[in-house]
Amino acid sequence: MASEISWPRVLETLATGSHLSIQWSTWAMGQIIAGDATPAQIAAFLMGLRVKGETVDEIVGFRDAVLSAAERLDVPSSVLDIVGTGGDPYGAVLNISSVASIVAAATGVPVVKHGNRKASSSSGASDFLSALGVRTDLSAAQAAEVFHTVGITFANAGLLHPGFRHVSGIRREMGVSTLFNVIGPLCNPARPEASAVGVANADRAPLIAGVFQTRGATALVFRGDDGIDKLTTTGHSHLWEVSQGAIREHDLDPRDLGIGLVPIEALLGEGPEYNAAVARTVLDGDSGAVRDVVLLNAAAGIVAAELSAEPTRFQQPLLERFRAALAVASRAVDSGAARATLEAWAAATHTAAG
């Protein structure tokens, strides 16, 4: 019974290293996003989970509670989200997922990019896109209007999940990756049918893949062996391909796709303005390490979208699908379509905001 659940019981369960049921997880997250938990209870809860390690059932419960309280985003579910958990060991990786989202949208894939302001990195998706001229402070209705105008929009977690305000300050003060880094990519209010999700924490990546599996969703979940929440070009990446309740694991070497290896320093950024300046050079057609990693992650999004539309692609060689998607993404940049998509997106957000 829900009446039997309490914060002392939840925290004691975590303190002993035991796991929460879906019901208890849903209750706890419901308390947090409703503003009925104290800062001390929230911080203890987040750190207890961090130390113990989350389970698939716990993440499912957290996700269900968050989505049930989210603002409605009136867009089709046949959209793509390219998103990362953050929390990598460097804290300053370029906003690759956001640029990859623009490139994917320029190829004709409808995109709803979910994100927030920085919590455990130097530049969150909202900070970065704002630096590119995109208004990220839109209501759900305004964000949907932008999507229907240009085929891409930003789902601002801080606005579309009002309950997140009860934990945002605590996350900033903690300054470490927490369960919100895990559930963020799973809580896009558009409920996209295709997802490309980067996970920095090696233990959490298979859990996120497991959540997509339990929901029968389509996703590529990946982690660079260097610890970043992206498909990396510094070495290999581990990738979980999820389709209709099945999971297949892959080892992805960028050299198999004609992409040379680079040092991690080539992928590191700084603050939003610096990262935005680098992104503009990529969208203007500059070659180099950043272009390569952006195209690789855009390709992951395209592969996920195509798999969602045609589940039989699951039986085709992954490298074959990535090669085709890389070519499509490359053309979108070189033709100027990606830069035009950014400009149209930025303009549409300002129009929608009035």
Side-chain angles (χ1 to χ4, degrees):
M1 296 291 291
S3 60
E4 298 173 349
I5 310 173
S6 67
W7 276 114
R9 294 191 66 188
V10 167
L11 296 178
E12 181 63 28
T13 298
L14 297 180
T16 61
S18 300
H19 304 311
L20 303 177
S21 66
I22 292 178
Q23 181 190 24
W24 281 41
S25 301
T26 303
W27 177 89
M29 184 56 67
Q31 290 280 301
I32 290 172
I33 61 179
D36 294 331
T38 68
Q41 289 168 336
I42 295 172
F45 180 67
L46 295 180
M47 189 52 68
L49 285 165
R50 169 72 184 261
V51 173
K52 177 187 74 67
E54 301 89 354
T55 66
V56 169
D57 280 355
E58 288 168 344
I59 297 171
V60 167
F62 302 148
R63 173 188 181 274
D64 289 350
V66 170
L67 283 177
S68 69
E71 297 284 339
R72 175 178 170 77
L73 190 59
D74 189 16
V75 299
S77 60
S78 55
V79 297
L80 165 71
D81 188 10
I82 305 177
V83 64
T85 62
D88 65 78
Y90 310 100
V93 175
L94 290 160
N95 293 90
I96 294 164
S97 299
S98 295
V99 190
S101 297
I102 296 168
V103 174
T107 72
V109 175
V111 174
V112 177
K113 168 67 178 158
H114 191 222
N116 209 338
R117 301 190 69 84
K118 65 179 181 180
S120 58
S121 66
S122 61
S123 177
S126 178
D127 310 292
F128 170 73
L129 291 173
S130 294
L132 282 176
V134 176
R135 289 284 298 264
T136 63
D137 58 343
L138 304 183
S139 68
Q142 291 168 331
E145 177 186 336
V146 169
F147 174 84
H148 291 295
T149 300
V150 294
I152 182 172
T153 197
F154 182 69
N156 190 321
L159 297 177
L160 302 187
H161 299 293
F164 279 10
R165 71 184 185 275
H166 301 300
V167 76
S168 58
I170 296 169
R171 290 183 67 199
R172 282 194 297 270
E173 291 176 6
M174 292 177 70
V176 298
S177 174
T178 69
L179 77 91
F180 281 91
N181 294 84
V182 181
I183 65 172
L186 300 169
C187 295
N188 188 325
R191 301 175 187 247
E193 293 178 0
S195 299
V197 181
V199 185
N201 185 291
D203 294 330
R204 288 169 167 171
L207 296 179
I208 290 181
V211 174
F212 283 116
Q213 181 185 31
T214 63
R215 289 297 185 254
T218 300
L220 298 187
V221 179
F222 40 81
R223 175 184 183 272
D225 286 356
D226 52 13
I228 68 171
D229 60 337
K230 312 287 186 289
L231 286 177
T232 190
T233 52
T234 70
H236 292 240
S237 297
H238 196 106
L239 186 150
W240 292 258
E241 184 179 15
V242 188
S243 178
Q244 296 186 323
I247 293 183
R248 180 177 295 157
E249 294 187 41
H250 306 269
D251 177 85
L252 187 64
D253 184 339
R255 290 170 293 189
D256 291 335
L257 296 167
I259 298 174
L261 300 186
V262 298
I264 186 63
E265 289 75 17
L267 308 183
L268 299 184
E270 296 180 11
E273 295 294 339
Y274 174 89
N275 291 2
V278 173
R280 289 189 183 96
T281 67
V282 171
L283 297 179
D284 284 338
D286 281 9
S287 60
V290 180
R291 172 190 168 97
D292 287 343
V293 77
V294 165
L295 293 181
L296 182 61
N297 284 270
I302 295 168
V303 168
E306 291 176 340
L307 180 61
S308 176
E310 299 180 47
T312 56
R313 289 177 178 265
F314 192 65
Q315 306 305 323
Q316 299 174 2
L318 184 68
L319 284 177
E320 178 181 296
R321 288 178 278 151
F322 258 89
R323 288 191 187 99
L326 273 171
V328 171
S330 182
R331 286 195 296 271
V333 172
D334 294 338
S335 68
R339 183 61 186 257
T341 295
L342 170 60
E343 293 172 354
W345 184 13
T349 61
H350 286 272
T351 299

